[in-house]
Amino acid sequence: MGNDGGSIPKRRELVKNSARAKTTTELRETLLESLTHLWTFCPLSSLPLDHTNTVSDARGRLYNYESVLQCLLPGADDDGGASGVPEAEAEAFRESGIKGLKDVVKVRFAIRKDDKGREFRACPVSLKELGAATRAVYLVPCGHVFAEAAMKEISESESKEGDERHCPECSEAFEEGNVIPILPTSEEEIKRLRDRSEDLKARGLSHSLKKDKSKDKKKRKADEAANGDSGHGVNGKGKKEKKDKDANGIESRINNPMTASLTAKVLAEQEQNNKRRKMAEGLRREAVR
């Protein structure tokens, strides 16, 4: 056709080529591209990861601390969405399973510079650049990050000597089960992290090995509900009536219905803002500790 020596491909050839399975090299390149993106950008905000302010969850995923903190703040809507957070980011945060700062650990990268002045994350032991091309792990609870190969050699040498395992950077003791791979890809690693999370939950601990108080709160609320008809319940009812009286005190003394309604709305918004501010201060104090 056109005397150019070419040929028109037949339909079966087109279908055969489109249905061709990817080669091992192509699969490896696709995986490397995906890992590079996850090592570079926060999956919540899609902003570049801050090397000095990065946290990781129980599944080894990396986030910007500010993005997690913003998503943890109480939302202005009734659906529980985060205040000032786009819907896509709020949905990604809900899928992450993070319920509080205890569910993440701040990862501590060793930052180095090359000859051109470019900063990069490096293993403090092997000095290799950490990223998609190098398998990396971090330790809980200290959060220091190492190349997996270097950490494996250190762990094997300490196990032969019979000594307790310690972080090469801060000398804090850690257990072998608390070596968390960053962005794991194998089914074995993913299953191990899933089993670890279930075991910690059964022991009342969070990913950061801090005590999970959510069960205690649920139990306390259940006990209060069960004892609602006791003397304690009467006191609780009195407190509720007093609270309702204080909340409705100002607008009940306003004769104009429209003004009273507007005043009640403003007071409700002010109370909601106070709750958000107190929760934000509590989260910041917890992060400092």
Side-chain angles (χ1 to χ4, degrees):
M1 182 177 181
N3 294 327
D4 58 356
S7 61
I8 300 176
K10 297 181 180 180
R11 180 182 179 279
R12 63 174 178 271
E13 294 176 349
L14 295 175
V15 174
K16 182 179 180 180
N17 291 334
S18 62
R20 178 182 62 85
K22 292 185 177 181
T23 63
T24 304
T25 303
E26 291 174 341
L27 291 174
R28 190 181 296 112
E29 291 176 353
T30 302
L31 178 61
L32 183 62
E33 182 180 355
S34 176
L35 288 176
T36 301
H37 180 81
L38 294 175
W39 269 94
T40 308
F41 297 97
C42 173
L44 297 179
S45 61
S46 299
L47 296 175
L49 285 173
D50 184 356
H51 297 174
T52 60
N53 208 14
T54 305
V55 296
S56 177
D57 63 1
R59 289 188 277 183
R61 294 170 297 186
L62 301 176
Y63 306 90
N64 277 331
Y65 172 75
E66 293 295 336
S67 299
V68 174
L69 184 61
Q70 186 177 9
C71 290
L72 285 174
L73 294 177
D77 53 6
D78 296 334
D79 297 333
S83 177
V85 176
E87 180 60 29
E89 184 174 344
E91 180 65 25
F93 181 74
R94 285 191 289 268
E95 293 177 356
S96 69
I98 299 174
K99 304 299 182 183
L101 292 179
K102 292 183 177 65
D103 296 326
V104 295
V105 172
K106 183 175 182 180
V107 290
R108 306 178 187 277
F109 290 106
I111 307 300
R112 298 187 179 276
K113 292 184 179 181
D114 57 14
D115 298 336
K116 298 181 180 180
R118 180 183 66 91
E119 290 187 348
F120 62 92
R121 294 163 290 191
C123 172
V125 177
S126 64
L127 304 182
K128 287 185 177 180
E129 181 175 358
L130 300 178
T134 305
R135 296 167 63 89
V137 297
Y138 70 91
L139 308 181
V140 178
C142 68
H144 285 105
V145 186
F146 305 91
E148 185 184 50
M151 197 67 236
K152 187 176 295 185
E153 291 181 4
I154 294 174
S155 298
E156 289 177 355
S157 62
E158 289 186 349
S159 62
K160 290 180 181 179
E161 297 175 0
D163 297 334
E164 188 179 19
R165 292 177 173 82
H166 293 83
C167 173
E169 280 287 280
C170 63
S171 300
E172 185 171 357
F174 69 92
E175 297 179 0
E176 185 177 358
N178 292 326
V179 179
I180 309 300
I182 295 179
L183 300 173
T185 56
S186 67
E187 290 295 333
E188 182 180 356
E189 290 178 333
I190 295 174
K191 183 179 182 302
R192 182 178 74 83
L193 294 182
R194 190 186 305 116
D195 294 341
R196 174 183 178 272
S197 298
E198 294 176 356
D199 179 64
L200 290 177
K201 185 177 180 180
R203 293 158 54 190
L205 298 175
S206 60
H207 169 53
S208 59
L209 303 184
K210 296 179 181 178
K211 186 176 181 181
D212 188 2
K213 299 180 180 180
S214 59
K215 289 186 177 181
D216 296 337
K217 290 182 180 179
K218 292 180 180 179
K219 184 178 180 181
R220 187 164 56 250
K221 289 182 179 179
D223 294 340
E224 291 177 357
N227 299 329
D229 54 347
S230 62
H232 179 72
V234 173
N235 294 335
K237 183 178 179 181
K239 291 181 180 179
K240 183 178 180 181
E241 291 177 353
K242 182 179 179 181
K243 183 178 180 181
D244 294 340
K245 183 178 179 181
D246 294 339
N248 299 326
I250 297 177
E251 59 267 24
S252 63
R253 295 193 296 269
I254 300 176
N255 296 327
N256 191 319
M258 183 177 296
T259 305
S261 176
L262 182 61
T263 303
K265 184 177 180 181
V266 171
L267 291 175
E269 291 178 353
Q270 184 178 4
E271 183 180 2
Q272 187 70 14
N273 291 333
N274 291 336
K275 290 181 180 179
R276 291 180 198 158
R277 184 169 59 254
K278 290 180 180 179
M279 182 170 290
E281 292 175 356
L283 291 174
R284 292 192 181 94
R285 285 196 297 268
E286 184 179 356
V288 172
R289 290 198 299 267

